[in-house]
Amino acid sequence: MPGKPHSQQFQWTLEDVEQAVQSLLNESNTNFESLIKNLSNHKDLYDLTHKIVLEGTPIGFNTVNETITKGVLYGIFKSNGKIRVQNRIYEQYIYNYLASKVETSSAVASYIFAPQFQKADGSLDLELALERFQQFIKEEYSDKDTKFLERQWRLIFLAFLRPIINGESYTFKEVQVSQERRLDVVIYQKAA
C-alpha cells in the first residue's frame, strides 16, 4: 500500500547477486533461444561476436556495416564508440555457449572426472586442475595448432574448467580483455 512503511527490507549481498545471475544464465527462455538461434543462423554475426567476446578485439561501431546492423537489430550489439554486447548477461551467456561448443567438440571431456579435483575438505584443488590442463594441451595439440591456440586458449581453458566446477562452484570470467591481452578468471566456491 502506498505510504505504508515496509516492516522488513531485503538487503542484497554479493552472493545473492551471483546466485541470481547463475539462476538466470541456467534458465531456458525464448530470449536466450533467439539469441543463440540468431548467432547460429548467421555465420558473419557469429564470427563478429566471437571476435568481440572471446578475442576482445575492439571494433568500431558503424551501422553502414550490415553485420553490425544485424547485431543491433537482433539486440546483440550496442554502441559505445566500439561494438559492445548489449549487456553483461548476454555476454556471459554467449561466452558459456561458445565454451560449451568447445567442450562438446573436443577431447576435453576425457581428461575430466570432477571428483578427482576435490580436496579432502571438499574444496577445489585448482593446482591439480591446472596441471591436468597442461597435460591436456601437451597431449592434444601440436605445433600446427599454434595459430589456433593463440586465438582460442581462453575458451579451451574455460571449457576445461566448466565440468570440474559445474554444480560445485561458481565461475566468473571477465570477458573484457585488457590491452595486455590478459583475461582474469575468478572461481568462487560456494560456502558449505
mmCIF file of all heavy atoms in Angstrom, residues 108-127:
data_model
loop_
_atom_site.group_PDB
_atom_site.id
_atom_site.type_symbol
_atom_site.label_atom_id
_atom_site.label_comp_id
_atom_site.label_asym_id
_atom_site.label_seq_id
_atom_site.Cartn_x
_atom_site.Cartn_y
_atom_site.Cartn_z
ATOM 1 N N VAL A 108 38.332 -32.640 -24.480
ATOM 2 C CA VAL A 108 38.373 -32.107 -23.114
ATOM 3 C C VAL A 108 37.738 -33.080 -22.136
ATOM 4 O O VAL A 108 38.291 -33.356 -21.073
ATOM 5 C CB VAL A 108 37.673 -30.729 -23.041
ATOM 6 C CG1 VAL A 108 37.424 -30.314 -21.610
ATOM 7 C CG2 VAL A 108 38.502 -29.669 -23.735
ATOM 8 N N ALA A 109 36.579 -33.610 -22.462
ATOM 9 C CA ALA A 109 35.816 -34.441 -21.527
ATOM 10 C C ALA A 109 36.584 -35.672 -21.055
ATOM 11 O O ALA A 109 36.415 -36.113 -19.923
ATOM 12 C CB ALA A 109 34.494 -34.859 -22.164
ATOM 13 N N SER A 110 37.455 -36.226 -21.880
ATOM 14 C CA SER A 110 38.175 -37.433 -21.486
ATOM 15 C C SER A 110 39.214 -37.168 -20.402
ATOM 16 O O SER A 110 39.723 -38.100 -19.799
ATOM 17 C CB SER A 110 38.840 -38.070 -22.708
ATOM 18 O OG SER A 110 39.836 -37.206 -23.230
ATOM 19 N N TYR A 111 39.533 -35.914 -20.138
ATOM 20 C CA TYR A 111 40.514 -35.566 -19.122
ATOM 21 C C TYR A 111 39.883 -35.210 -17.789
ATOM 22 O O TYR A 111 40.577 -34.963 -16.824
ATOM 23 C CB TYR A 111 41.354 -34.361 -19.586
ATOM 24 C CG TYR A 111 42.374 -34.742 -20.614
ATOM 25 C CD1 TYR A 111 42.017 -34.898 -21.942
ATOM 26 C CD2 TYR A 111 43.693 -34.976 -20.262
ATOM 27 C CE1 TYR A 111 42.940 -35.260 -22.893
ATOM 28 C CE2 TYR A 111 44.626 -35.344 -21.203
ATOM 29 C CZ TYR A 111 44.243 -35.483 -22.516
ATOM 30 O OH TYR A 111 45.163 -35.861 -23.455
ATOM 31 N N ILE A 112 38.574 -35.192 -17.744
ATOM 32 C CA ILE A 112 37.925 -34.621 -16.581
ATOM 33 C C ILE A 112 37.001 -35.625 -15.891
ATOM 34 O O ILE A 112 36.130 -36.211 -16.503
ATOM 35 C CB ILE A 112 37.117 -33.373 -16.987
ATOM 36 C CG1 ILE A 112 38.073 -32.343 -17.557
ATOM 37 C CG2 ILE A 112 36.350 -32.811 -15.815
ATOM 38 C CD1 ILE A 112 37.385 -31.189 -18.206
ATOM 39 N N PHE A 113 37.236 -35.799 -14.629
ATOM 40 C CA PHE A 113 36.332 -36.522 -13.750
ATOM 41 C C PHE A 113 36.283 -35.669 -12.492
ATOM 42 O O PHE A 113 37.220 -35.652 -11.705
ATOM 43 C CB PHE A 113 36.857 -37.929 -13.476
ATOM 44 C CG PHE A 113 35.991 -38.724 -12.553
ATOM 45 C CD1 PHE A 113 34.673 -39.019 -12.897
ATOM 46 C CD2 PHE A 113 36.462 -39.175 -11.342
ATOM 47 C CE1 PHE A 113 33.858 -39.741 -12.050
ATOM 48 C CE2 PHE A 113 35.662 -39.901 -10.489
ATOM 49 C CZ PHE A 113 34.359 -40.189 -10.838
ATOM 50 N N ALA A 114 35.230 -34.868 -12.346
ATOM 51 C CA ALA A 114 35.170 -33.798 -11.353
ATOM 52 C C ALA A 114 35.614 -34.192 -9.938
ATOM 53 O O ALA A 114 36.364 -33.448 -9.314
ATOM 54 C CB ALA A 114 33.780 -33.174 -11.330
ATOM 55 N N PRO A 115 35.180 -35.328 -9.398
ATOM 56 C CA PRO A 115 35.572 -35.645 -8.019
ATOM 57 C C PRO A 115 37.083 -35.724 -7.795
ATOM 58 O O PRO A 115 37.556 -35.477 -6.692
ATOM 59 C CB PRO A 115 34.901 -36.998 -7.763
ATOM 60 C CG PRO A 115 33.713 -36.983 -8.660
ATOM 61 C CD PRO A 115 34.180 -36.266 -9.897
ATOM 62 N N GLN A 116 37.854 -36.039 -8.827
ATOM 63 C CA GLN A 116 39.301 -36.132 -8.634
ATOM 64 C C GLN A 116 39.938 -34.778 -8.339
ATOM 65 O O GLN A 116 41.074 -34.699 -7.894
ATOM 66 C CB GLN A 116 39.968 -36.767 -9.852
ATOM 67 C CG GLN A 116 39.987 -35.867 -11.078
ATOM 68 C CD GLN A 116 40.643 -36.526 -12.269
ATOM 69 O OE1 GLN A 116 41.607 -37.244 -12.116
ATOM 70 N NE2 GLN A 116 40.102 -36.293 -13.451
ATOM 71 N N PHE A 117 39.196 -33.687 -8.572
ATOM 72 C CA PHE A 117 39.725 -32.348 -8.337
ATOM 73 C C PHE A 117 39.262 -31.752 -7.013
ATOM 74 O O PHE A 117 39.421 -30.574 -6.772
ATOM 75 C CB PHE A 117 39.341 -31.417 -9.499
ATOM 76 C CG PHE A 117 39.940 -31.856 -10.804
ATOM 77 C CD1 PHE A 117 39.181 -32.529 -11.740
ATOM 78 C CD2 PHE A 117 41.269 -31.610 -11.084
ATOM 79 C CE1 PHE A 117 39.741 -32.942 -12.940
ATOM 80 C CE2 PHE A 117 41.841 -32.020 -12.285
ATOM 81 C CZ PHE A 117 41.071 -32.687 -13.208
ATOM 82 N N GLN A 118 38.692 -32.601 -6.157
ATOM 83 C CA GLN A 118 38.253 -32.126 -4.847
ATOM 84 C C GLN A 118 39.247 -32.554 -3.782
ATOM 85 O O GLN A 118 39.689 -33.704 -3.747
ATOM 86 C CB GLN A 118 36.879 -32.690 -4.491
ATOM 87 C CG GLN A 118 35.756 -32.024 -5.216
ATOM 88 C CD GLN A 118 34.412 -32.530 -4.730
ATOM 89 O OE1 GLN A 118 34.312 -33.565 -4.089
ATOM 90 N NE2 GLN A 118 33.372 -31.794 -5.055
ATOM 91 N N LYS A 119 39.579 -31.595 -2.906
ATOM 92 C CA LYS A 119 40.432 -31.899 -1.757
ATOM 93 C C LYS A 119 39.582 -32.615 -0.707
ATOM 94 O O LYS A 119 38.357 -32.667 -0.825
ATOM 95 C CB LYS A 119 41.006 -30.603 -1.176
ATOM 96 C CG LYS A 119 41.964 -29.896 -2.107
ATOM 97 C CD LYS A 119 42.476 -28.622 -1.440
ATOM 98 C CE LYS A 119 43.418 -27.879 -2.371
ATOM 99 N NZ LYS A 119 43.879 -26.607 -1.758
ATOM 100 N N ALA A 120 40.233 -33.129 0.315
ATOM 101 C CA ALA A 120 39.527 -33.857 1.384
ATOM 102 C C ALA A 120 38.449 -32.999 2.049
ATOM 103 O O ALA A 120 37.401 -33.509 2.445
ATOM 104 C CB ALA A 120 40.524 -34.363 2.422
ATOM 105 N N ASP A 121 38.691 -31.679 2.131
ATOM 106 C CA ASP A 121 37.711 -30.797 2.762
ATOM 107 C C ASP A 121 36.590 -30.367 1.806
ATOM 108 O O ASP A 121 35.729 -29.581 2.154
ATOM 109 C CB ASP A 121 38.388 -29.561 3.353
ATOM 110 C CG ASP A 121 39.012 -28.647 2.297
ATOM 111 O OD1 ASP A 121 38.952 -28.968 1.082
ATOM 112 O OD2 ASP A 121 39.574 -27.604 2.692
ATOM 113 N N GLY A 122 36.604 -30.889 0.567
ATOM 114 C CA GLY A 122 35.558 -30.588 -0.406
ATOM 115 C C GLY A 122 35.850 -29.384 -1.279
ATOM 116 O O GLY A 122 35.101 -29.091 -2.199
ATOM 117 N N SER A 123 36.936 -28.685 -1.022
ATOM 118 C CA SER A 123 37.274 -27.515 -1.835
ATOM 119 C C SER A 123 37.960 -27.950 -3.137
ATOM 120 O O SER A 123 38.419 -29.080 -3.270
ATOM 121 C CB SER A 123 38.166 -26.545 -1.050
ATOM 122 O OG SER A 123 39.409 -27.151 -0.760
ATOM 123 N N LEU A 124 38.024 -27.047 -4.061
ATOM 124 C CA LEU A 124 38.595 -27.304 -5.374
ATOM 125 C C LEU A 124 40.113 -27.345 -5.298
ATOM 126 O O LEU A 124 40.743 -26.459 -4.728
ATOM 127 C CB LEU A 124 38.165 -26.200 -6.350
ATOM 128 C CG LEU A 124 38.741 -26.246 -7.760
ATOM 129 C CD1 LEU A 124 38.228 -27.469 -8.499
ATOM 130 C CD2 LEU A 124 38.353 -24.985 -8.508
ATOM 131 N N ASP A 125 40.708 -28.386 -5.884
ATOM 132 C CA ASP A 125 42.165 -28.484 -5.993
ATOM 133 C C ASP A 125 42.561 -27.846 -7.317
ATOM 134 O O ASP A 125 42.725 -28.519 -8.333
ATOM 135 C CB ASP A 125 42.613 -29.945 -5.923
ATOM 136 C CG ASP A 125 44.123 -30.096 -5.806
ATOM 137 O OD1 ASP A 125 44.850 -29.122 -6.114
ATOM 138 O OD2 ASP A 125 44.567 -31.185 -5.414
ATOM 139 N N LEU A 126 42.678 -26.518 -7.305
ATOM 140 C CA LEU A 126 42.958 -25.772 -8.523
ATOM 141 C C LEU A 126 44.333 -26.098 -9.086
ATOM 142 O O LEU A 126 44.515 -26.153 -10.302
ATOM 143 C CB LEU A 126 42.816 -24.271 -8.280
ATOM 144 C CG LEU A 126 42.885 -23.393 -9.514
ATOM 145 C CD1 LEU A 126 41.836 -23.793 -10.546
ATOM 146 C CD2 LEU A 126 42.705 -21.931 -9.137
ATOM 147 N N GLU A 127 45.298 -26.351 -8.221
ATOM 148 C CA GLU A 127 46.649 -26.703 -8.692
ATOM 149 C C GLU A 127 46.604 -27.982 -9.526
ATOM 150 O O GLU A 127 47.199 -28.058 -10.600
ATOM 151 C CB GLU A 127 47.595 -26.866 -7.508
ATOM 152 C CG GLU A 127 49.035 -27.067 -7.938
ATOM 153 C CD GLU A 127 50.004 -27.108 -6.757
ATOM 154 O OE1 GLU A 127 49.688 -26.551 -5.691
ATOM 155 O OE2 GLU A 127 51.078 -27.696 -6.924
#
